[in-house]
Amino acid sequence: MPETTAPTPAPTSTARRRLGVVVLSLGVSMIIVDATIVGVLLPRLVSGLGLTTADAEWVNAVYSLVFAALLIPFGRVGDLVGRRRVFVLGVVVFVLASLGVAAARDGSSLIAARAVQGVGASMVLPAALSTLNAMFTGRDRATAFGIWGALLSGMAALGPLLGGALGTADWRWAFLVNLPFGVALIAGAIALLPETRRPRAGRLRQEIDWLGGVLSALGLGALVCGLIEGPNHGWWTATRDFSVAGLSPVPVVLALGAVLLTALVLVERVRAAAGRPVMLDLSLFRIANFRHGNLASALINVGELGLLFVLPLFLLGVHGTSPIQISLAILPLAVGSFLSGGYAGHLAKKRGAHRVVQIGMVLEVAAVLGLAVTLDAATTGLGLAPWMLVYGFGLGLTAAQLTNVSLADVPPAKSGQASGTQSTARQVGAALGIAVIGTVFATSLGAAMTDRVSDGERLAHELRQSAGTYARELHADPARAAEARAADESLAVATRDGALVTAAILALGLLLSLRLRPSTRQDREESESLSSLENKR
Protein backbone atom coordinates (compact mmCIF):
# COMPACT_ATOMS: atom_id res chain seq x y z
CA MET A 1 0.00 0.00 0.00
CA PRO A 2 1.27 3.49 -0.74
CA GLU A 3 2.27 5.92 1.96
CA THR A 4 -0.24 8.62 2.82
CA THR A 5 0.18 12.00 4.44
CA ALA A 6 -2.33 13.39 6.93
CA PRO A 7 -3.86 16.83 6.39
CA THR A 8 -1.32 18.37 8.78
CA PRO A 9 0.98 20.55 6.63
CA ALA A 10 4.37 18.91 6.14
CA PRO A 11 7.59 20.88 6.25
CA THR A 12 8.56 21.70 2.68
CA SER A 13 11.66 23.88 2.96
CA THR A 14 15.07 22.33 3.42
CA ALA A 15 15.57 24.26 6.65
CA ARG A 16 12.31 23.02 8.17
CA ARG A 17 12.95 19.46 7.11
CA ARG A 18 16.37 19.58 8.72
CA LEU A 19 14.83 21.00 11.88
CA GLY A 20 12.48 18.03 11.75
CA VAL A 21 15.52 15.74 11.63
CA VAL A 22 16.86 17.51 14.73
CA VAL A 23 13.58 16.89 16.59
CA LEU A 24 13.59 13.21 15.62
CA SER A 25 17.28 12.86 16.51
CA LEU A 26 16.88 14.52 19.91
CA GLY A 27 13.85 12.36 20.68
CA VAL A 28 15.87 9.23 20.01
CA SER A 29 18.86 10.76 21.79
CA MET A 30 16.77 11.05 24.96
CA ILE A 31 16.03 7.34 25.02
CA ILE A 32 19.62 6.43 24.13
CA VAL A 33 21.00 8.74 26.82
CA ASP A 34 18.87 6.98 29.41
CA ALA A 35 20.29 3.66 28.23
CA THR A 36 23.89 4.81 28.74
CA ILE A 37 23.42 7.18 31.67
CA VAL A 38 22.74 4.33 34.07
CA GLY A 39 26.28 3.01 33.58
CA VAL A 40 27.75 6.13 35.15
CA LEU A 41 25.16 6.23 37.93
CA LEU A 42 25.33 2.49 38.59
CA PRO A 43 27.79 2.68 41.51
CA ARG A 44 25.51 5.23 43.22
CA LEU A 45 22.47 3.06 42.53
CA VAL A 46 24.19 -0.03 43.93
CA SER A 47 25.17 1.67 47.17
CA GLY A 48 22.10 3.90 47.51
CA LEU A 49 19.43 1.26 46.86
CA GLY A 50 21.38 -1.83 47.95
CA LEU A 51 21.47 -3.46 44.52
CA THR A 52 23.22 -6.77 43.88
CA THR A 53 25.22 -7.43 40.70
CA ALA A 54 22.22 -9.24 39.21
CA ASP A 55 19.98 -6.29 40.13
CA ALA A 56 22.45 -3.93 38.46
CA GLU A 57 22.39 -6.00 35.29
CA TRP A 58 18.58 -6.07 35.33
CA VAL A 59 18.39 -2.28 35.72
CA ASN A 60 20.29 -2.02 32.45
CA ALA A 61 18.99 -5.08 30.64
CA VAL A 62 15.23 -4.79 31.37
CA TYR A 63 15.16 -1.45 29.56
CA SER A 64 16.75 -2.91 26.43
CA LEU A 65 14.70 -6.11 26.73
CA VAL A 66 11.29 -4.40 26.83
CA PHE A 67 12.54 -1.95 24.21
CA ALA A 68 13.45 -4.83 21.88
CA ALA A 69 10.27 -6.84 22.50
CA LEU A 70 7.87 -4.00 21.60
CA LEU A 71 9.76 -2.20 18.83
CA ILE A 72 8.27 -4.15 15.93
CA PRO A 73 4.63 -4.08 17.19
CA PHE A 74 4.85 -0.33 17.81
CA GLY A 75 6.56 0.16 14.46
CA ARG A 76 3.51 -1.48 12.92
CA VAL A 77 1.13 0.64 15.03
CA GLY A 78 2.94 3.77 13.80
CA ASP A 79 2.54 2.65 10.20
CA LEU A 80 -1.21 2.30 10.70
CA VAL A 81 -2.30 5.10 13.05
CA GLY A 82 0.36 7.72 12.25
CA ARG A 83 4.06 7.84 13.07
CA ARG A 84 4.10 11.36 14.50
CA ARG A 85 1.22 10.45 16.82
CA VAL A 86 3.07 7.39 18.15
CA PHE A 87 6.28 9.43 18.51
CA VAL A 88 4.54 12.03 20.69
CA LEU A 89 2.74 9.39 22.78
CA GLY A 90 6.02 7.55 23.28
CA VAL A 91 7.70 10.71 24.58
CA VAL A 92 4.84 11.14 27.08
CA VAL A 93 5.14 7.55 28.35
CA PHE A 94 8.92 7.85 28.57
CA VAL A 95 8.84 11.08 30.56
CA LEU A 96 6.27 9.72 33.04
CA ALA A 97 8.37 6.57 33.50
CA SER A 98 11.46 8.74 34.07
CA LEU A 99 9.63 10.39 36.96
CA GLY A 100 8.97 6.89 38.29
CA VAL A 101 12.68 6.05 38.11
CA ALA A 102 13.50 9.23 40.03
CA ALA A 103 10.98 8.26 42.72
CA ALA A 104 12.28 4.65 43.13
CA ARG A 105 13.09 3.54 46.69
CA ASP A 106 14.38 0.01 46.08
CA GLY A 107 15.65 -2.25 43.34
CA SER A 108 12.23 -3.68 42.42
CA SER A 109 10.57 -0.28 41.88
CA LEU A 110 13.60 0.94 39.94
CA ILE A 111 13.58 -2.08 37.63
CA ALA A 112 9.81 -1.74 37.10
CA ALA A 113 10.11 1.94 36.15
CA ARG A 114 12.97 1.15 33.79
CA ALA A 115 10.73 -1.44 32.11
CA VAL A 116 8.06 1.24 31.51
CA GLN A 117 10.77 3.52 30.10
CA GLY A 118 11.45 0.70 27.65
CA VAL A 119 7.79 0.81 26.56
CA GLY A 120 8.04 4.53 25.77
CA ALA A 121 11.36 4.07 24.01
CA SER A 122 9.90 1.31 21.82
CA MET A 123 7.28 3.78 20.60
CA VAL A 124 9.68 6.66 19.93
CA LEU A 125 12.44 4.94 17.98
CA PRO A 126 10.60 3.16 15.13
CA ALA A 127 8.28 6.14 14.65
CA ALA A 128 11.27 8.47 14.38
CA LEU A 129 13.27 6.24 12.07
CA SER A 130 10.40 5.44 9.70
CA THR A 131 9.43 9.15 9.55
CA LEU A 132 13.01 10.02 8.65
CA ASN A 133 13.05 7.26 6.06
CA ALA A 134 9.84 8.64 4.50
CA MET A 135 10.97 12.31 4.53
CA PHE A 136 14.18 11.92 2.49
CA THR A 137 15.19 10.14 -0.71
CA GLY A 138 18.18 10.09 -3.04
CA ARG A 139 21.26 12.11 -2.16
CA ASP A 140 19.42 13.98 0.60
CA ARG A 141 19.26 10.73 2.60
CA ALA A 142 23.01 10.74 3.23
CA THR A 143 22.87 14.33 4.51
CA ALA A 144 19.84 13.61 6.71
CA PHE A 145 21.37 10.48 8.15
CA GLY A 146 24.61 12.40 8.69
CA ILE A 147 22.74 14.93 10.87
CA TRP A 148 20.95 12.04 12.57
CA GLY A 149 24.21 10.20 13.19
CA ALA A 150 26.07 13.24 14.52
CA LEU A 151 23.33 14.11 17.02
CA LEU A 152 22.72 10.52 18.10
CA SER A 153 26.36 9.64 18.48
CA GLY A 154 27.21 12.82 20.32
CA MET A 155 24.18 12.71 22.63
CA ALA A 156 24.55 9.00 23.35
CA ALA A 157 28.11 9.53 24.44
CA LEU A 158 27.37 12.79 26.27
CA GLY A 159 24.72 10.96 28.27
CA PRO A 160 27.27 9.65 30.78
CA LEU A 161 28.74 13.16 31.16
CA LEU A 162 25.31 14.64 31.77
CA GLY A 163 24.47 11.83 34.17
CA GLY A 164 27.66 12.37 36.11
CA ALA A 165 27.14 16.10 36.39
CA LEU A 166 23.54 15.75 37.57
CA GLY A 167 24.22 12.64 39.67
CA THR A 168 27.06 14.19 41.67
CA ALA A 169 24.50 15.74 44.03
CA ASP A 170 21.64 13.24 43.60
CA TRP A 171 21.28 10.59 40.89
CA ARG A 172 17.52 11.28 40.68
CA TRP A 173 18.10 14.59 38.89
CA ALA A 174 19.54 12.72 35.93
CA PHE A 175 16.01 11.41 35.23
CA LEU A 176 13.98 14.43 36.34
CA VAL A 177 15.63 16.49 33.57
CA ASN A 178 13.62 14.46 31.03
CA LEU A 179 10.46 16.38 31.96
CA PRO A 180 11.32 19.79 30.42
CA PHE A 181 13.22 18.12 27.60
CA GLY A 182 10.20 15.95 26.75
CA VAL A 183 7.82 18.93 26.72
CA ALA A 184 10.10 20.72 24.22
CA LEU A 185 10.23 17.61 22.00
CA ILE A 186 6.44 17.30 21.91
CA ALA A 187 6.08 20.95 20.85
CA GLY A 188 8.77 20.53 18.16
CA ALA A 189 7.19 17.35 16.78
CA ILE A 190 3.75 18.93 16.44
CA ALA A 191 5.18 22.02 14.73
CA LEU A 192 7.71 20.44 12.36
CA LEU A 193 6.96 16.79 11.58
CA PRO A 194 4.57 15.54 8.88
CA GLU A 195 2.07 12.82 9.79
CA THR A 196 2.67 9.77 7.59
CA ARG A 197 0.90 6.42 7.69
CA ARG A 198 -0.27 3.48 5.61
CA PRO A 199 -3.98 2.93 4.97
CA ARG A 200 -5.59 0.31 7.19
CA ALA A 201 -7.16 -2.77 5.63
CA GLY A 202 -9.07 -3.68 8.79
CA ARG A 203 -9.25 -3.07 12.51
CA LEU A 204 -6.06 -2.26 14.37
CA ARG A 205 -6.18 -5.47 16.41
CA GLN A 206 -6.41 -7.46 13.18
CA GLU A 207 -3.49 -5.61 11.62
CA ILE A 208 -0.99 -6.45 14.37
CA ASP A 209 0.56 -9.81 15.19
CA TRP A 210 0.05 -9.93 18.95
CA LEU A 211 1.01 -13.63 19.23
CA GLY A 212 4.35 -12.91 17.58
CA GLY A 213 4.90 -10.04 20.02
CA VAL A 214 4.24 -12.28 23.03
CA LEU A 215 6.53 -15.05 21.75
CA SER A 216 9.28 -12.50 21.04
CA ALA A 217 9.02 -10.89 24.48
CA LEU A 218 8.96 -14.20 26.38
CA GLY A 219 11.72 -15.77 24.28
CA LEU A 220 14.13 -12.84 24.58
CA GLY A 221 13.23 -12.43 28.25
CA ALA A 222 14.06 -16.04 29.02
CA LEU A 223 17.35 -15.83 27.13
CA VAL A 224 18.51 -12.67 28.93
CA CYS A 225 17.25 -13.96 32.29
CA GLY A 226 19.31 -17.12 31.95
CA LEU A 227 22.47 -15.22 31.07
CA ILE A 228 22.10 -12.74 33.95
CA GLU A 229 21.17 -15.29 36.61
CA GLY A 230 23.76 -17.91 35.56
CA PRO A 231 26.49 -16.77 38.00
CA ASN A 232 23.96 -16.68 40.87
CA HIS A 233 22.18 -20.01 40.38
CA GLY A 234 24.85 -22.00 38.54
CA TRP A 235 25.11 -22.77 34.86
CA TRP A 236 24.24 -26.46 35.28
CA THR A 237 24.43 -27.67 38.88
CA ALA A 238 22.38 -25.54 41.29
CA THR A 239 24.40 -23.35 43.67
CA ARG A 240 21.28 -22.24 45.59
CA ASP A 241 18.33 -23.99 47.20
CA PHE A 242 16.09 -23.49 44.18
CA SER A 243 16.71 -26.50 41.90
CA VAL A 244 15.10 -29.42 40.14
CA ALA A 245 16.83 -32.63 41.29
CA GLY A 246 20.04 -30.65 41.75
CA LEU A 247 19.76 -29.03 38.32
CA SER A 248 20.01 -25.25 38.14
CA PRO A 249 16.98 -23.45 36.66
CA VAL A 250 19.32 -21.55 34.32
CA PRO A 251 19.69 -24.22 31.57
CA VAL A 252 15.92 -24.79 31.73
CA VAL A 253 15.22 -21.08 31.23
CA LEU A 254 17.76 -20.84 28.38
CA ALA A 255 16.21 -23.88 26.69
CA LEU A 256 12.75 -22.35 27.10
CA GLY A 257 14.01 -19.15 25.44
CA ALA A 258 15.34 -21.15 22.48
CA VAL A 259 12.02 -23.03 22.12
CA LEU A 260 9.96 -19.82 22.23
CA LEU A 261 12.14 -18.06 19.65
CA THR A 262 11.95 -21.12 17.39
CA ALA A 263 8.17 -21.07 17.79
CA LEU A 264 8.22 -17.39 16.83
CA VAL A 265 9.90 -18.15 13.50
CA LEU A 266 7.47 -21.00 12.76
CA VAL A 267 4.40 -18.94 13.66
CA GLU A 268 5.58 -16.03 11.51
CA ARG A 269 6.11 -18.32 8.52
CA VAL A 270 2.59 -19.75 8.86
CA ARG A 271 1.01 -16.30 9.23
CA ALA A 272 2.94 -14.90 6.26
CA ALA A 273 1.93 -17.88 4.08
CA ALA A 274 -1.71 -17.21 5.01
CA GLY A 275 -1.38 -13.54 4.09
CA ARG A 276 -1.89 -12.38 7.69
CA PRO A 277 0.10 -9.53 9.33
CA VAL A 278 3.33 -10.64 10.97
CA MET A 279 5.49 -9.05 13.63
CA LEU A 280 8.70 -10.34 12.06
CA ASP A 281 8.63 -10.15 8.27
CA LEU A 282 11.11 -12.87 7.36
CA SER A 283 11.00 -11.81 3.70
CA LEU A 284 12.95 -8.67 4.65
CA PHE A 285 15.94 -10.85 5.43
CA ARG A 286 16.18 -11.79 1.77
CA ILE A 287 17.56 -8.27 1.26
CA ALA A 288 21.29 -8.84 1.75
CA ASN A 289 22.17 -5.45 3.24
CA PHE A 290 19.20 -5.61 5.61
CA ARG A 291 20.22 -9.10 6.79
CA HIS A 292 23.91 -8.34 7.27
CA GLY A 293 23.23 -4.86 8.68
CA ASN A 294 20.88 -6.19 11.34
CA LEU A 295 23.35 -8.79 12.56
CA ALA A 296 26.16 -6.23 12.60
CA SER A 297 23.94 -3.77 14.52
CA ALA A 298 23.25 -6.35 17.20
CA LEU A 299 26.94 -7.15 17.62
CA ILE A 300 27.92 -3.46 17.77
CA ASN A 301 25.45 -2.87 20.60
CA VAL A 302 26.67 -5.94 22.45
CA GLY A 303 30.07 -4.29 22.54
CA GLU A 304 28.97 -0.73 23.29
CA LEU A 305 26.55 -1.42 26.15
CA GLY A 306 28.71 -4.19 27.62
CA LEU A 307 31.75 -1.92 27.70
CA LEU A 308 29.85 0.99 29.24
CA PHE A 309 28.54 -1.39 31.90
CA VAL A 310 31.92 -2.59 33.21
CA LEU A 311 34.17 0.48 32.87
CA PRO A 312 32.36 2.64 35.48
CA LEU A 313 32.36 -0.30 37.91
CA PHE A 314 36.11 -0.72 37.42
CA LEU A 315 36.85 2.98 37.91
CA LEU A 316 34.74 3.24 41.04
CA GLY A 317 35.94 -0.02 42.58
CA VAL A 318 39.63 0.70 42.08
CA HIS A 319 39.83 4.49 42.35
CA GLY A 320 36.65 5.49 44.17
CA THR A 321 35.85 7.76 41.26
CA SER A 322 32.78 10.02 41.56
CA PRO A 323 30.09 10.05 38.83
CA ILE A 324 31.46 13.25 37.29
CA GLN A 325 34.97 11.76 37.11
CA ILE A 326 33.62 8.62 35.48
CA SER A 327 31.79 10.82 33.00
CA LEU A 328 34.95 12.74 32.16
CA ALA A 329 36.72 9.44 31.49
CA ILE A 330 34.06 8.61 28.90
CA LEU A 331 33.88 12.14 27.46
CA PRO A 332 36.42 11.38 24.68
CA LEU A 333 33.91 8.83 23.37
CA ALA A 334 31.42 11.69 23.02
CA VAL A 335 33.94 13.89 21.26
CA GLY A 336 34.96 11.18 18.80
CA SER A 337 31.35 10.17 18.08
CA PHE A 338 30.22 13.73 17.49
CA LEU A 339 33.10 14.61 15.17
CA SER A 340 32.95 11.48 13.06
CA GLY A 341 29.15 11.33 13.03
CA GLY A 342 29.03 14.76 11.36
CA TYR A 343 31.69 13.76 8.85
CA ALA A 344 30.14 10.37 8.07
CA GLY A 345 27.49 11.79 5.71
CA HIS A 346 30.07 13.60 3.57
CA LEU A 347 32.33 10.54 3.51
CA ALA A 348 29.39 8.32 2.54
CA LYS A 349 28.74 10.42 -0.59
CA LYS A 350 32.35 9.93 -1.71
CA ARG A 351 33.11 6.36 -0.60
CA GLY A 352 29.70 4.81 -0.07
CA ALA A 353 27.87 4.27 3.20
CA HIS A 354 28.98 0.62 3.39
CA ARG A 355 32.67 1.68 3.34
CA VAL A 356 32.06 4.17 6.14
CA VAL A 357 30.58 1.38 8.27
CA GLN A 358 33.58 -0.87 7.61
CA ILE A 359 36.11 1.85 8.52
CA GLY A 360 34.20 2.54 11.73
CA MET A 361 34.16 -1.13 12.69
CA VAL A 362 37.93 -1.42 12.21
CA LEU A 363 38.45 1.53 14.56
CA GLU A 364 36.10 0.07 17.18
CA VAL A 365 37.86 -3.29 17.23
CA ALA A 366 41.31 -1.68 17.39
CA ALA A 367 40.28 0.63 20.24
CA VAL A 368 38.77 -2.09 22.43
CA LEU A 369 41.76 -4.38 21.84
CA GLY A 370 44.12 -1.55 22.78
CA LEU A 371 42.13 -0.91 25.94
CA ALA A 372 42.21 -4.59 26.90
CA VAL A 373 45.96 -4.92 26.35
CA THR A 374 46.96 -1.79 28.28
CA LEU A 375 44.49 -1.82 31.20
CA ASP A 376 45.75 -2.71 34.68
CA ALA A 377 44.93 -1.81 38.30
CA ALA A 378 46.77 1.51 37.96
CA THR A 379 44.80 2.65 34.88
CA THR A 380 42.78 5.81 35.51
CA GLY A 381 40.12 7.55 33.50
CA LEU A 382 42.87 9.54 31.78
CA GLY A 383 44.51 6.29 30.71
CA LEU A 384 41.25 5.13 29.16
CA ALA A 385 40.70 8.42 27.31
CA PRO A 386 42.78 7.75 24.12
CA TRP A 387 41.10 4.41 23.52
CA MET A 388 37.66 5.85 24.18
CA LEU A 389 38.36 8.63 21.66
CA VAL A 390 39.24 6.12 18.92
CA TYR A 391 36.28 3.94 19.88
CA GLY A 392 33.94 6.94 19.74
CA PHE A 393 35.26 7.95 16.33
CA GLY A 394 34.53 4.48 14.99
CA LEU A 395 31.11 4.40 16.65
CA GLY A 396 30.15 7.71 15.07
CA LEU A 397 31.03 6.40 11.61
CA THR A 398 29.03 3.19 11.98
CA ALA A 399 25.95 4.44 13.88
CA ALA A 400 23.95 6.35 11.27
CA GLN A 401 25.41 4.91 8.07
CA LEU A 402 24.73 1.32 9.13
CA THR A 403 21.07 2.28 9.54
CA ASN A 404 21.20 3.98 6.14
CA VAL A 405 22.67 0.90 4.43
CA SER A 406 20.32 -1.52 6.21
CA LEU A 407 17.12 0.31 5.25
CA ALA A 408 18.04 1.76 1.86
CA ASP A 409 16.79 -1.21 -0.21
CA VAL A 410 13.64 -1.77 1.87
CA PRO A 411 10.37 -0.88 0.06
CA PRO A 412 8.83 2.30 1.56
CA ALA A 413 5.60 0.45 2.41
CA LYS A 414 7.55 -1.77 4.80
CA SER A 415 9.75 0.95 6.26
CA GLY A 416 8.01 0.99 9.65
CA GLN A 417 8.37 -2.72 10.20
CA ALA A 418 11.90 -2.74 8.80
CA SER A 419 12.86 0.15 11.10
CA GLY A 420 11.40 -1.72 14.04
CA THR A 421 13.28 -4.90 13.12
CA GLN A 422 16.56 -3.04 12.68
CA SER A 423 16.13 -1.23 15.97
CA THR A 424 15.12 -4.48 17.67
CA ALA A 425 18.41 -5.99 16.55
CA ARG A 426 20.24 -3.15 18.27
CA GLN A 427 18.30 -3.52 21.51
CA VAL A 428 18.62 -7.30 21.53
CA GLY A 429 22.35 -6.69 21.20
CA ALA A 430 22.24 -4.20 24.07
CA ALA A 431 20.38 -6.58 26.39
CA LEU A 432 22.63 -9.49 25.46
CA GLY A 433 25.72 -7.29 25.74
CA ILE A 434 24.92 -6.32 29.32
CA ALA A 435 24.07 -9.94 30.15
CA VAL A 436 27.09 -11.50 28.42
CA ILE A 437 29.77 -8.93 29.31
CA GLY A 438 28.30 -8.54 32.80
CA THR A 439 28.46 -12.30 33.30
CA VAL A 440 32.07 -12.43 32.05
CA PHE A 441 32.94 -9.56 34.41
CA ALA A 442 31.27 -11.15 37.47
CA THR A 443 32.64 -14.66 36.82
CA SER A 444 36.17 -13.44 36.12
CA LEU A 445 36.07 -11.13 39.15
CA GLY A 446 35.15 -13.97 41.47
CA ALA A 447 37.73 -16.37 40.05
CA ALA A 448 40.55 -13.79 40.17
CA MET A 449 39.82 -12.81 43.79
CA THR A 450 39.58 -16.43 44.92
CA ASP A 451 43.10 -17.08 43.60
CA ARG A 452 44.69 -14.05 45.28
CA VAL A 453 43.89 -14.22 49.00
CA SER A 454 43.40 -16.91 51.63
CA ASP A 455 39.79 -15.94 52.32
CA GLY A 456 39.22 -15.58 48.61
CA GLU A 457 35.87 -17.33 48.23
CA ARG A 458 34.09 -15.16 50.79
CA LEU A 459 35.64 -11.94 49.48
CA ALA A 460 34.93 -13.01 45.90
CA HIS A 461 31.27 -13.47 46.83
CA GLU A 462 31.15 -9.98 48.36
CA LEU A 463 32.77 -8.44 45.28
CA ARG A 464 30.43 -10.23 42.87
CA GLN A 465 27.32 -9.37 44.85
CA SER A 466 28.27 -5.68 45.14
CA ALA A 467 29.27 -5.32 41.46
CA GLY A 468 32.83 -4.58 42.64
CA THR A 469 31.93 -1.70 44.97
CA TYR A 470 32.94 -3.78 48.03
CA ALA A 471 36.53 -2.89 47.08
CA ARG A 472 35.92 0.60 48.50
CA GLU A 473 35.16 -0.90 51.92
CA LEU A 474 38.47 -2.76 51.80
CA HIS A 475 40.32 0.46 50.90
CA ALA A 476 38.71 2.23 53.85
CA ASP A 477 40.37 -0.19 56.34
CA PRO A 478 44.21 0.21 56.50
CA ALA A 479 44.51 -3.25 58.04
CA ARG A 480 43.09 -4.80 54.87
CA ALA A 481 45.47 -3.14 52.39
CA ALA A 482 46.58 -6.49 50.93
CA GLU A 483 42.99 -7.53 50.33
CA ALA A 484 42.26 -4.13 48.77
CA ARG A 485 45.17 -4.55 46.34
CA ALA A 486 43.93 -8.03 45.46
CA ALA A 487 40.46 -6.60 44.79
CA ASP A 488 41.94 -3.91 42.53
CA GLU A 489 43.90 -6.49 40.56
CA SER A 490 40.83 -8.72 40.29
CA LEU A 491 38.73 -5.84 39.01
CA ALA A 492 41.40 -5.10 36.38
CA VAL A 493 41.46 -8.76 35.29
CA ALA A 494 37.66 -8.90 35.07
CA THR A 495 37.53 -5.67 33.05
CA ARG A 496 40.28 -6.89 30.69
CA ASP A 497 38.40 -10.14 30.12
CA GLY A 498 35.20 -8.21 29.45
CA ALA A 499 37.03 -5.99 26.95
CA LEU A 500 38.58 -8.98 25.16
CA VAL A 501 35.18 -10.65 24.77
CA THR A 502 33.81 -7.31 23.54
CA ALA A 503 36.60 -7.06 20.95
CA ALA A 504 35.86 -10.58 19.73
CA ILE A 505 32.16 -9.77 19.32
CA LEU A 506 32.94 -6.54 17.47
CA ALA A 507 35.31 -8.46 15.21
CA LEU A 508 32.38 -10.67 14.17
CA GLY A 509 30.46 -7.47 13.41
CA LEU A 510 33.37 -6.30 11.27
CA LEU A 511 33.31 -9.53 9.27
CA LEU A 512 29.59 -9.08 8.64
CA SER A 513 30.09 -5.46 7.59
CA LEU A 514 32.50 -6.62 4.88
CA ARG A 515 29.51 -8.25 3.17
CA LEU A 516 27.60 -4.95 2.87
CA ARG A 517 27.23 -3.59 -0.67
CA PRO A 518 26.19 -0.23 -2.20
CA SER A 519 22.43 0.27 -2.18
CA THR A 520 20.79 -0.50 -5.53
CA ARG A 521 17.75 1.66 -4.75
CA GLN A 522 19.79 4.67 -3.70
CA ASP A 523 21.99 4.38 -6.78
CA ARG A 524 18.86 4.35 -8.97
CA GLU A 525 17.33 7.35 -7.15
CA GLU A 526 20.56 9.34 -7.46
CA SER A 527 20.86 8.50 -11.16
CA GLU A 528 17.25 9.59 -11.78
CA SER A 529 17.86 12.80 -9.83
CA LEU A 530 20.99 13.63 -11.87
CA SER A 531 19.21 12.81 -15.16
CA SER A 532 16.35 15.10 -14.21
CA LEU A 533 18.76 17.96 -13.50
CA GLU A 534 20.55 17.44 -16.83
CA ASN A 535 17.23 17.43 -18.73
CA LYS A 536 16.21 20.72 -17.11
CA ARG A 537 19.45 22.28 -18.27
Side-chain angles (χ1 to χ4, degrees), residues 524-537:
R524 185 171 62 252
E525 287 175 348
E526 290 181 12
S527 297
E528 291 173 355
S529 176
L530 290 173
S531 297
S532 176
L533 287 174
E534 289 175 1
N535 290 335
K536 288 180 180 180
R537 289 173 185 174

Side-chain angles (χ1 to χ4, degrees), residues 31-293:
I31 65 178
I32 293 176
V33 163
D34 271 46
T36 58
I37 208 171
V38 172
V40 172
L41 300 174
L42 201 54
R44 289 284 180 98
L45 296 173
V46 169
S47 58
L49 299 178
L51 304 183
T52 65
T53 300
D55 290 336
E57 290 185 58
W58 275 116
V59 168
N60 279 277
V62 74
Y63 177 80
S64 296
L65 184 60
V66 174
F67 199 167
L70 297 177
L71 268 168
I72 296 176
F74 276 127
R76 180 70 172 165
V77 170
D79 284 348
L80 298 173
V81 307
R83 292 150 185 162
R84 185 184 65 179
R85 183 176 300 169
V86 171
F87 178 86
V88 170
L89 182 58
V91 172
V92 172
V93 171
F94 191 87
V95 168
L96 292 177
S98 298
L99 299 180
V101 172
R105 298 300 174 196
D106 54 35
S108 298
S109 58
L110 177 63
I111 292 169
R114 288 284 286 169
V116 179
Q117 274 193 313
V119 175
S122 68
M123 301 170 76
V124 170
L125 184 55
L129 198 51
S130 55
T131 298
L132 183 67
N133 205 39
M135 285 172 66
F136 294 93
T137 58
R139 297 178 67 85
D140 288 340
R141 282 176 59 88
T143 300
F145 274 99
I147 296 171
W148 166 279
L151 285 168
L152 259 64
S153 300
M155 289 295 291
L158 280 172
L161 183 62
L162 176 63
L166 294 172
T168 299
D170 189 335
W171 62 266
R172 300 176 195 277
W173 283 105
F175 298 95
L176 290 172
V177 75
N178 285 337
L179 179 58
F181 191 63
V183 170
L185 281 173
I186 292 169
I190 293 172
L192 295 167
L193 298 181
E195 181 64 285
T196 60
R197 64 169 68 93
R198 289 179 59 197
R200 283 196 219 171
R203 294 182 179 179
L204 183 61
R205 59 188 174 87
Q206 297 172 333
E207 292 276 346
I208 298 175
D209 176 15
W210 297 109
L211 177 59
V214 170
L215 288 172
S216 172
L218 294 178
L220 290 171
L223 186 61
V224 172
C225 179
L227 291 170
I228 289 177
E229 297 296 338
N232 296 324
H233 293 279
W235 293 103
W236 188 255
T237 303
T239 57
R240 292 189 174 185
D241 293 337
F242 185 75
S243 66
V244 180
L247 178 67
S248 167
V250 170
V252 177
V253 171
L254 290 173
L256 177 62
V259 169
L260 289 170
L261 293 176
T262 301
L264 169 65
V265 173
L266 296 176
V267 166
E268 298 305 86
R269 284 182 175 173
V270 171
R271 289 180 65 90
R276 300 175 65 189
V278 294
M279 190 202 75
L280 183 62
D281 188 349
L282 297 174
S283 67
L284 288 171
F285 289 91
R286 296 179 190 142
I287 302 171
N289 276 0
F290 184 81
R291 180 173 65 252
H292 298 141

Side-chain angles (χ1 to χ4, degrees), residues 323-362:
I324 188 63
Q325 293 300 319
I326 293 173
S327 301
L328 290 172
I330 302 175
L331 179 60
L333 189 154
V335 175
S337 296
F338 183 78
L339 293 176
S340 64
Y343 178 65
H346 299 290
L347 187 60
K349 290 181 178 180
K350 295 180 179 179
R351 302 292 184 184
H354 65 299
R355 294 296 184 207
V356 175
V357 172
Q358 292 160 4
I359 294 169
M361 289 300 302
V362 169

